Amino acid sequence: MLLTETAPPPGAQRLAGLRATARAARRRTFVALSAAIALLTTAQLLADRAQTKEQTLPLAVLSLAIFMTALPVLVATQYVWGAHARLVRRSELELYAVAPSERARPLSRLAVACGWAVTLLLGWTEPHFFREAALHAFADSLRWAAEALAVVSIAAGVLFVIWWARDAVGMLARAARSGGSPGDPWDPGHGARPREGAALWTGAAVAVAALVGARAHLWEPGTAVIYALLTAALVCGVVTGE
């Protein structure tokens, strides 16, 4: 009889469900992060190319609205992901009596931190667009808010680097002592990496990187190309999250 045909040990089915929920929360986090960067970058690119202040104003408002909406959404999705991940770690420790290896955790956390850095950098440029729209008083108020946000963000970034380095060193030390939890044959999604999903994530990452490069004036794509890149980023992200 094959191992997968035997009855699962107590707790294995619950753990498989927890792992699936954590994977779904992780997908939602990266989808929200990539969508926020793609939408914010596109709005700012269009605002930067506007010919008059009347054309710039609605795009500046749209860009600010996207940024203000993205911040709580990113916080919420990452909090949910972290809560589910901690629950999975506790359950694996109870079931297998060893801590999970989670070798990809430092990389995923670093990727999220880089996404946050790009999002905040884009947000710090918001006052420029309102100044171009001739709303100087509002632009000055936004500038003060952006400077305060920059100070908080830099402090949070320093704390993150210290915490991330400490956590990564701890994981390496634990991995040297133990191989982590064993594979779970009753969890069909554990360790599975469908090629289609990897290709879609790659497509979304390339599209977002191209938009960020255009916002940084590393290249000058046409408006139609910008819309095509935005569509590719959103479609790849949404399909990946299904």
XYZ file of all heavy atoms in Angstrom, residues 28-89:
470
model
N -2.084 36.530 -1.787
C -2.811 37.804 -1.725
C -1.873 38.954 -1.372
O -2.017 40.065 -1.894
C -3.946 37.712 -0.709
C -5.128 36.896 -1.172
C -6.324 37.097 -0.262
N -6.086 36.578 1.077
C -6.379 35.344 1.458
N -6.914 34.493 0.598
N -6.141 34.950 2.705
N -0.901 38.699 -0.511
C 0.054 39.744 -0.138
C 0.856 40.210 -1.347
O 0.988 41.414 -1.599
C 1.007 39.216 0.948
O 0.256 38.908 2.124
C 2.069 40.245 1.279
N 1.393 39.266 -2.112
C 2.214 39.639 -3.259
C 1.361 40.214 -4.394
O 1.835 41.091 -5.132
C 3.025 38.437 -3.734
C 4.237 38.166 -2.900
C 4.237 37.171 -1.936
C 5.377 38.933 -3.048
C 5.357 36.935 -1.152
C 6.501 38.708 -2.272
C 6.485 37.707 -1.321
N 0.136 39.741 -4.543
C -0.755 40.326 -5.546
C -1.062 41.776 -5.192
O -1.011 42.676 -6.049
C -2.051 39.502 -5.664
C -3.097 40.257 -6.481
C -1.773 38.162 -6.310
N -1.378 42.038 -3.915
C -1.670 43.404 -3.492
C -0.455 44.307 -3.667
O -0.574 45.456 -4.110
C -2.132 43.407 -2.035
N 0.720 43.792 -3.349
C 1.939 44.592 -3.458
C 2.258 44.931 -4.909
O 2.543 46.093 -5.250
C 3.104 43.834 -2.821
C 4.412 44.593 -2.624
C 4.189 45.818 -1.740
C 5.456 43.688 -2.001
N 2.188 43.943 -5.786
C 2.489 44.197 -7.199
C 1.436 45.097 -7.832
O 1.762 45.987 -8.632
C 2.590 42.872 -7.962
O 1.370 42.155 -7.901
N 0.160 44.901 -7.473
C -0.900 45.743 -8.033
C -0.754 47.188 -7.561
O -0.950 48.132 -8.343
C -2.268 45.190 -7.646
N -0.414 47.379 -6.293
C -0.250 48.735 -5.774
C 0.872 49.465 -6.501
O 0.723 50.631 -6.905
C 0.027 48.680 -4.270
N 2.010 48.797 -6.682
C 3.132 49.440 -7.367
C 2.784 49.727 -8.826
O 3.089 50.810 -9.353
C 4.387 48.558 -7.264
C 4.826 48.422 -5.805
C 5.528 49.133 -8.099
C 5.974 47.466 -5.600
N 2.133 48.766 -9.495
C 1.795 48.952 -10.906
C 0.811 50.100 -11.095
O 0.990 50.962 -11.979
C 1.218 47.654 -11.475
N -0.242 50.150 -10.273
C -1.245 51.216 -10.406
C -0.652 52.579 -10.058
O -0.888 53.565 -10.767
C -2.435 50.912 -9.499
C -3.331 49.741 -9.928
C -4.305 49.384 -8.814
C -4.084 50.088 -11.203
N 0.119 52.639 -8.973
C 0.700 53.913 -8.553
C 1.702 54.421 -9.583
O 1.714 55.616 -9.928
C 1.371 53.733 -7.188
C 1.953 54.979 -6.526
C 0.875 56.035 -6.337
C 2.559 54.616 -5.179
N 2.514 53.528 -10.104
C 3.508 53.930 -11.106
C 2.828 54.422 -12.375
O 3.240 55.434 -12.961
C 4.429 52.745 -11.430
O 4.998 52.253 -10.226
C 5.542 53.177 -12.356
N 1.781 53.732 -12.805
C 1.076 54.138 -14.023
C 0.434 55.507 -13.866
O 0.533 56.371 -14.761
C 0.006 53.092 -14.380
O 0.641 51.824 -14.587
C -0.744 53.495 -15.637
N -0.238 55.731 -12.738
C -0.872 57.029 -12.511
C 0.164 58.150 -12.503
O -0.069 59.230 -13.068
C -1.644 57.004 -11.192
N 1.307 57.901 -11.900
C 2.333 58.939 -11.851
C 2.985 59.163 -13.217
O 3.334 60.297 -13.565
C 3.386 58.571 -10.804
C 2.868 58.624 -9.380
C 3.969 58.481 -8.349
O 5.127 58.248 -8.691
N 3.617 58.619 -7.085
N 3.152 58.092 -13.980
C 3.696 58.261 -15.327
C 2.773 59.117 -16.184
O 3.229 60.016 -16.918
C 3.892 56.892 -15.978
C 5.150 56.109 -15.582
C 5.077 54.685 -16.115
C 6.394 56.807 -16.093
N 1.487 58.851 -16.102
C 0.529 59.635 -16.888
C 0.471 61.079 -16.401
O 0.363 62.015 -17.211
C -0.853 58.987 -16.815
C -0.958 57.580 -17.417
C -2.355 57.006 -17.211
C -0.602 57.597 -18.910
N 0.534 61.272 -15.076
C 0.522 62.636 -14.543
C 1.782 63.395 -14.966
O 1.731 64.598 -15.259
C 0.410 62.593 -13.019
N 2.892 62.709 -15.009
C 4.150 63.344 -15.397
C 4.147 63.760 -16.861
O 4.855 64.695 -17.245
C 5.295 62.372 -15.121
C 6.638 63.073 -15.017
O 6.671 64.218 -14.523
O 7.650 62.488 -15.430
N 3.337 63.080 -17.674
C 3.286 63.380 -19.102
C 2.143 64.325 -19.480
O 1.982 64.650 -20.658
C 3.140 62.083 -19.897
C 4.325 61.146 -19.722
C 4.188 59.897 -20.529
N 5.352 59.030 -20.385
C 5.643 58.001 -21.166
N 4.827 57.702 -22.175
N 6.722 57.276 -20.959
N 1.344 64.709 -18.487
C 0.237 65.623 -18.773
C 0.777 66.969 -19.265
O 1.809 67.450 -18.775
C -0.622 65.813 -17.533
N 0.061 67.573 -20.203
C 0.541 68.805 -20.830
C 0.104 70.057 -20.075
O 0.775 71.081 -20.138
C 0.023 68.873 -22.267
C 0.489 67.713 -23.138
C 1.993 67.681 -23.295
O 2.641 68.712 -23.413
N 2.564 66.471 -23.289
N -1.021 70.000 -19.381
C -1.551 71.175 -18.684
C -1.850 70.817 -17.233
O -1.956 69.640 -16.867
C -2.834 71.693 -19.352
O -3.862 70.685 -19.251
C -2.580 72.004 -20.831
N -2.035 71.863 -16.415
C -2.349 71.626 -15.006
C -3.749 71.030 -14.851
O -4.013 70.292 -13.896
C -2.225 72.906 -14.197
C -3.188 74.015 -14.618
C -2.959 75.269 -13.791
C -3.945 76.375 -14.178
N -3.720 77.608 -13.371
N -4.640 71.351 -15.795
C -5.973 70.756 -15.745
C -5.913 69.248 -15.993
O -6.708 68.488 -15.420
C -6.892 71.417 -16.777
C -7.306 72.843 -16.452
C -6.200 73.849 -16.760
O -5.203 73.456 -17.429
O -6.319 75.017 -16.330
N -5.005 68.800 -16.822
C -4.829 67.371 -17.057
C -4.065 66.698 -15.914
O -4.292 65.528 -15.617
C -4.084 67.148 -18.379
C -4.842 67.603 -19.609
C -4.018 67.468 -20.875
O -2.794 67.323 -20.829
N -4.682 67.530 -22.023
N -3.185 67.458 -15.276
C -2.370 66.882 -14.205
C -3.179 66.643 -12.936
O -2.977 65.637 -12.238
C -1.187 67.810 -13.884
O -0.421 68.030 -15.069
C -0.296 67.217 -12.810
N -4.117 67.547 -12.619
C -4.821 67.489 -11.337
C -5.560 66.173 -11.106
O -5.366 65.543 -10.050
C -5.776 68.680 -11.212
C -6.570 68.737 -9.903
C -5.629 68.770 -8.712
C -7.506 69.941 -9.912
N -6.428 65.712 -12.024
C -7.132 64.451 -11.739
C -6.190 63.252 -11.602
O -6.434 62.351 -10.793
C -8.078 64.277 -12.929
C -7.525 65.143 -13.998
C -6.865 66.291 -13.302
N -5.098 63.256 -12.369
C -4.135 62.161 -12.257
C -3.365 62.236 -10.935
O -3.035 61.201 -10.340
C -3.173 62.200 -13.437
C -3.808 61.900 -14.796
C -2.839 62.208 -15.923
C -4.248 60.450 -14.861
N -3.085 63.455 -10.468
C -2.429 63.610 -9.166
C -3.334 63.130 -8.043
O -2.887 62.459 -7.109
C -2.048 65.076 -8.955
N -4.612 63.477 -8.128
C -5.582 63.015 -7.123
C -5.696 61.494 -7.160
O -5.741 60.830 -6.115
C -6.956 63.673 -7.351
C -8.004 63.062 -6.427
C -6.868 65.177 -7.126
N -5.735 60.929 -8.369
C -5.806 59.476 -8.508
C -4.577 58.809 -7.906
O -4.677 57.804 -7.188
C -5.936 59.109 -9.985
C -5.928 57.606 -10.310
C -7.101 56.904 -9.653
C -5.931 57.393 -11.821
N -3.416 59.371 -8.174
C -2.175 58.807 -7.633
C -2.177 58.840 -6.113
O -1.810 57.858 -5.445
C -0.975 59.581 -8.182
O 0.220 59.140 -7.586
N -2.602 59.955 -5.533
C -2.646 60.062 -4.074
C -3.660 59.089 -3.482
O -3.406 58.468 -2.440
C -2.984 61.500 -3.673
C -3.039 61.782 -2.166
C -1.690 61.505 -1.521
C -3.478 63.228 -1.914
N -4.807 58.951 -4.147
C -5.830 58.021 -3.658
C -5.325 56.578 -3.687
O -5.578 55.802 -2.753
C -7.095 58.155 -4.501
N -4.605 56.220 -4.743
C -4.045 54.866 -4.826
C -3.044 54.636 -3.705
O -3.050 53.595 -3.041
C -3.381 54.644 -6.196
C -4.445 54.635 -7.304
C -2.603 53.330 -6.215
C -3.867 54.606 -8.706
N -2.200 55.637 -3.460
C -1.180 55.489 -2.414
C -1.823 55.361 -1.039
O -1.431 54.487 -0.241
C -0.237 56.689 -2.451
C 0.835 56.658 -1.405
C 1.852 55.716 -1.459
C 0.828 57.572 -0.359
C 2.843 55.678 -0.480
C 1.816 57.544 0.612
C 2.817 56.595 0.546
N -2.798 56.206 -0.745
C -3.442 56.166 0.566
C -4.254 54.885 0.758
O -4.405 54.403 1.885
C -4.351 57.387 0.736
C -3.613 58.714 0.716
S -2.340 58.823 1.999
C -3.362 58.782 3.468
N -4.774 54.331 -0.329
C -5.506 53.066 -0.226
C -4.549 51.893 -0.100
O -4.831 50.922 0.617
C -6.401 52.872 -1.457
O -7.295 53.990 -1.578
C -7.224 51.591 -1.353
N -3.418 51.981 -0.785
C -2.475 50.859 -0.794
C -1.882 50.607 0.585
O -1.673 49.444 0.963
C -1.363 51.126 -1.806
N -1.593 51.657 1.345
C -0.925 51.474 2.631
C -1.711 50.571 3.584
O -1.171 49.574 4.078
C -0.645 52.836 3.275
C 0.363 53.733 2.550
C 0.585 55.018 3.331
C 1.684 53.010 2.337
N -3.005 50.862 3.869
C -3.731 49.955 4.783
C -3.962 48.568 4.188
O -3.987 47.578 4.922
C -5.055 50.681 5.039
C -5.214 51.628 3.911
C -3.835 52.033 3.519
N -4.125 48.487 2.864
C -4.328 47.175 2.235
C -3.072 46.310 2.400
O -3.164 45.120 2.738
C -4.698 47.341 0.752
C -4.653 45.998 0.031
C -6.073 47.961 0.617
N -1.913 46.896 2.177
C -0.668 46.143 2.325
C -0.453 45.713 3.772
O -0.023 44.589 4.041
C 0.512 46.983 1.838
C 0.530 47.329 0.348
C 1.763 48.154 0.010
C 0.481 46.081 -0.504
N -0.741 46.615 4.704
C -0.601 46.261 6.120
C -1.534 45.111 6.478
O -1.137 44.148 7.152
C -0.879 47.489 7.011
C -0.973 47.081 8.477
C 0.215 48.534 6.833
N -2.788 45.183 6.014
C -3.772 44.151 6.357
C -3.392 42.795 5.770
O -3.437 41.775 6.464
C -5.157 44.579 5.868
N -3.013 42.771 4.484
C -2.688 41.485 3.860
C -1.444 40.859 4.475
O -1.394 39.638 4.684
C -2.479 41.669 2.346
O -1.488 42.696 2.103
C -3.781 42.058 1.664
N -0.463 41.679 4.813
C 0.749 41.126 5.419
C 0.519 40.679 6.852
O 1.126 39.709 7.313
C 1.878 42.154 5.340
C 2.348 42.369 3.914
C 3.302 43.540 3.765
O 4.101 43.797 4.652
N 3.212 44.249 2.654
N -0.366 41.364 7.564
C -0.701 40.923 8.921
C -1.400 39.565 8.883
O -1.084 38.673 9.676
C -1.596 41.953 9.600
C -2.083 41.507 10.962
C -1.272 41.614 12.086
C -3.352 40.950 11.110
C -1.712 41.197 13.334
C -3.803 40.518 12.347
C -2.980 40.642 13.455
O -3.412 40.206 14.679
N -2.346 39.407 7.959
C -3.058 38.130 7.839
C -2.089 37.014 7.450
O -2.132 35.902 8.002
C -4.204 38.254 6.811
C -4.820 36.885 6.514
C -5.270 39.207 7.327
N -1.211 37.289 6.506
C -0.211 36.288 6.103
C 0.662 35.886 7.287
O 0.904 34.697 7.538
C 0.643 36.846 4.964
C 1.761 35.958 4.528
C 1.838 34.596 4.667
C 2.986 36.362 3.897
N 3.029 34.126 4.146
C 3.742 35.188 3.671
C 3.492 37.591 3.494
C 4.988 35.230 3.072
C 4.729 37.616 2.887
C 5.465 36.453 2.675
N 1.150 36.877 8.035
C 1.990 36.572 9.187
C 1.257 35.764 10.245
O 1.835 34.840 10.840
N -0.015 36.091 10.473
C -0.777 35.352 11.477
C -0.949 33.893 11.065
O -0.781 32.974 11.885
C -2.140 36.016 11.672
N -1.266 33.649 9.811
C -1.426 32.268 9.336
C -0.085 31.531 9.338
O -0.038 30.331 9.663
C -2.038 32.262 7.937
C -3.489 32.613 7.918
N -4.449 31.886 8.594
C -4.158 33.622 7.289
C -5.633 32.422 8.391
N -5.489 33.483 7.608
N 0.989 32.220 8.970
C 2.303 31.572 8.962
C 2.722 31.161 10.372
O 3.284 30.078 10.577
C 3.338 32.506 8.336
N 2.455 32.021 11.348
C 2.790 31.661 12.734
C 1.968 30.474 13.205
O 2.480 29.595 13.922
C 2.570 32.870 13.644
C 3.604 33.973 13.483
C 3.469 35.020 14.566
N 2.194 35.733 14.485
C 2.007 36.827 13.760
N 3.009 37.324 13.026
N 0.843 37.435 13.732
N 0.708 30.416 12.802
C -0.128 29.280 13.185
C 0.382 27.984 12.564
O 0.385 26.925 13.221
C -1.580 29.542 12.762
C -2.625 28.507 13.190
C -2.629 28.341 14.698
C -4.003 28.925 12.691
N 0.851 28.047 11.324
C 1.412 26.865 10.675
C 2.674 26.418 11.394
O 2.877 25.209 11.635
C 1.700 27.152 9.186
C 2.531 26.027 8.571
C 0.396 27.316 8.416
N 3.541 27.361 11.757
C 4.775 26.988 12.451
C 4.486 26.318 13.787
O 5.126 25.322 14.143
C 5.658 28.226 12.650
C 6.313 28.738 11.375
C 7.441 29.689 11.673
N 6.972 30.923 12.267
C 6.584 31.990 11.564
N 6.591 31.946 10.239
N 6.185 33.089 12.165
